[in-house]
């Protein structure tokens, strides 16, 4: 490492300077009025790192936070951080940029330094900005509910890694986790299942552990979490699954299924044939009423509506769905999928929101305003859609799914992933918004397992989302990660150890390959 500070994600430019700056407990800082919230963050960082808070003075402090309109080229999330013999300066075009500069300073300050009387920081100039506007983590809470404190803990780490999207998967076959006041049975019935399947074979055997599992977020708790995220420059994107992956909702309101028969919240993994009845107009009334409450709870622009893995066998046998096909002039049941997705997308647009859906929502006749969330297969259709102007977020199944074992998806593979879509020219990739790493929680029942699955791979995702490909290097990343492990330990995160994150075939070469070499090795 030929630079003074081992920062993750790695900055765009980091240049060593002459001399250093000596921090003492007499340190003062000053800031413009626009950065008062960031001033509070700054004091928190110092309190955690050194055990004291710098005093705020109107002007002339040795540590300065300020907005700078001349930094337009760095964008809304870019920043400059300078340390020299006169002090520390953090500048940004916006508050978000200054916030990220403070997060970098947090990695520069010593770990476990509480009680130190002085700290000497080598001079440096850092100029930095993100590669992509979307840099996120998805947490599935339908399969296992983790609760407010677990979510806040993740949000703290996302902020430290300069990640700005928290995709919150709140509904699925195995549980409904969001209070909807207009439809209380969703949480009264849909939030609890009788047990949990303990292996993939549960989808065939139907066996579960017979230990009831439940939980949901009240609307007050959701507002609290959304506000907590906003303070950390994070947008929360809720996911309300439709028309499939909806057994928990249909257990509460079976009249909205095609058969109308009683259902139980699903205990096994896998895909259920029971989906919303598209021929029943009450389905749309129900969904729109839910989305109205969701819109009120989540002020961000985006709402994820799923749309993936939708069996059509119930629609084939449903008189209402068949009548809808006749009325709309449809020739096959796939048109019903397009019908419900388009109606919901249009509803959200009318209410000032943008819909996101998994890449099963590609194809002719689907509303082009929907953002596509790519996860698996269909890359040619994705490329065609992007050429027509569709925007996309990437969560490649084999590279970014954090629920995978490290044998299938080692840290090196996650780090080596280069966002892109096969068949697109470089000038056609501006529609790639960024990357999200999903954690599906069928087999993630507690905090310790969550930590193990997420860390350290989330650090690799953060660096890919922020750092240009030219500045990425596998060996260099691992050297910085070894130092970052102390920070994870200080945060109380039970991350996977070095011996666990790489299968044996990589252990001999881990830390020595550049990204280009690593990608060449995978190709072989």
């Amino acid at each position: 490492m030929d630079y003074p500070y081992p920062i993750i994600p790695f900055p765009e430019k980091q240049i060593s300077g002459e001399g250093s700056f000596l921090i003492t407990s007499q340190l003062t800082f000053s800031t413009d009025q626009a950065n008062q919230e960031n001033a509070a963050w700054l004091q928190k960082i110092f309190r955690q790192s050194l055990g004291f808070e710098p005093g705020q003075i109107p002007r002339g402090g040795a540590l300065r936070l300020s907005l700078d309109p001349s930094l337009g080229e760095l964008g809304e999330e870019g920043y400059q951080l300078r340390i020299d013999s006169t002090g520390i300066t953090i500048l940004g075009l916006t508050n978000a940029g200054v916030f990220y500069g403070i997060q970098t300073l947090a990695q520069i300050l010593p770990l476990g330094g509480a009680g130190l009387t002085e700290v000497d920081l080598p001079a440096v100039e850092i100029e930095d900005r993100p590669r992509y506007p979307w840099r996120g983590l998805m947490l599935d809470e339908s399969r296992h509910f983790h609760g407010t404190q677990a979510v806040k803990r993740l949000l703290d780490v996302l902020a430290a890694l300069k990640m700005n999207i928290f995709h919150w998967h709140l509904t699925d076959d195995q549980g409904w986790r969001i209070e909807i006041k207009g439809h209380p049975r969703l949480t009264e019935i849909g939030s609890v299942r009788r047990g949990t399947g303990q292996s993939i074979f549960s989808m065939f055997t139907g066996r579960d552990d017979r230990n009831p599992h439940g939980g949901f977020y009240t609307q007050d708790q959701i507002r609290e979490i959304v506000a907590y995220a906003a303070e950390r420059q994070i947008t929360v994107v809720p996911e309300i699954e439709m028309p499939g992956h909806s057994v928990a909702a249909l257990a509460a309101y079976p009249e909205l299924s095609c058969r109308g028969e009683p259902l139980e919240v699903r205990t096994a993994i896998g895909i259920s044939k029971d989906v919303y009845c598209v021929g029943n107009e009450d389905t749309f009334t129900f969904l729109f009423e839910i989305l109205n409450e969701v819109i009120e709870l989540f002020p961000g622009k985006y709402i994820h509506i799923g749309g993936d893995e939708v069996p059509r066998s119930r629609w084939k046998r449903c008189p209402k769905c068949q009548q809808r096909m006749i009325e709309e002039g449809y020739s096959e049941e796939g048109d019903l999928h397009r019908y419900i997705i388009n109606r919901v997308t249009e509803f959200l647009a009318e209410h000032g929101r943008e819909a996101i859906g998994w890449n099963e929502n590609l194809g002719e006749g689907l509303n082009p305003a929907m953002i596509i969330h790519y996860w698996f297969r269909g890359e040619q259709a994705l490329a065609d859609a992007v050429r027509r102007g569709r925007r996309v977020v990437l969560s490649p199944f084999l590279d970014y799914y954090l629920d995978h074992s490290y044998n299938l998806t080692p840290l090196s593979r996650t780090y080596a992933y280069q966002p892109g879509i096969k068949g697109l020219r470089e000038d056609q990739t501006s529609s790639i918004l960024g990357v999200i790493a999903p954690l599906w929680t069928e087999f993630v029942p507690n905090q310790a397992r969550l930590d193990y699955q997420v860390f350290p791979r989330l650090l690799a995702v953060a660096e890919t989302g922020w750092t240009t490909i030219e500045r990425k290097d596998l060996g260099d990343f691992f050297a910085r990660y070894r130092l970052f492990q102390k920070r994870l330990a200080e945060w109380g995160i039970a991350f996977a150890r070095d011996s666990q994150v790489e299968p044996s075939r990589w252990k001999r070469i881990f830390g020595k390959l550049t990204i280009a070499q690593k990608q060449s090795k995978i190709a072989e």
Side-chain angles (χ1 to χ4, degrees), residues 406-425:
Y406 286 96
N407 284 321
L408 179 61
T409 305
L411 176 60
S412 55
R413 178 169 191 150
T414 300
Y415 189 80
Y417 172 66
Q418 166 64 8
I421 301 170
K422 187 176 180 180
L424 290 185
R425 302 189 310 268

Side-chain angles (χ1 to χ4, degrees), residues 345-360:
T345 299
E346 290 161 8
F347 173 85
L348 290 173
E350 290 168 1
H351 290 77
R353 298 295 193 271
E354 294 188 50
I356 309 172
W358 299 100
N359 56 271
E360 283 89 337

Side-chain angles (χ1 to χ4, degrees), residues 141-145 170-180 183-195 213-217 245-254 263-267 276 286:
E141 289 215 73
S142 175
R143 278 50 178 256
H144 278 98
F145 178 76
L170 289 166
T171 75
D172 214 297
D173 294 327
Q174 291 81 7
W176 185 281
R177 307 296 179 208
I178 174 173
E179 178 188 25
I180 300 297
H183 296 281
R185 297 210 311 264
L186 285 170
T187 47
E188 291 170 1
I189 296 173
S191 70
V192 181
R193 62 175 180 263
R194 71 163 191 256
H213 181 82
F216 67 92
Y217 293 95
H245 286 289
S246 300
V247 171
L250 296 175
Y253 296 93
L263 292 168
E264 289 187 349
V265 178
R266 189 175 174 90
T267 62
Y276 285 118
F286 174 78

Side-chain angles (χ1 to χ4, degrees), residues 308-321:
D308 60 312
E309 299 176 327
V310 184
R312 297 163 187 173
S313 58
R314 300 289 191 236
W315 293 345
K316 288 182 179 180
R317 296 173 176 82
C318 174
K320 291 181 180 179
C321 288

Side-chain angles (χ1 to χ4, degrees), residues 1 3-8 107 109-111 459 475-490 495 498:
M1 295 181 291
Y3 41 83
Y5 299 112
I7 298 164
I8 297 177
Q107 292 193 39
L109 293 172
L111 275 170
L459 279 67
D476 178 76
F477 168 77
F478 193 54
R480 284 179 285 123
Y481 165 58
R482 283 187 182 277
L483 298 174
F484 203 93
Q485 287 176 350
K486 298 177 182 178
R487 196 170 300 276
L488 293 175
E490 188 174 78
F495 56 92
D498 293 351

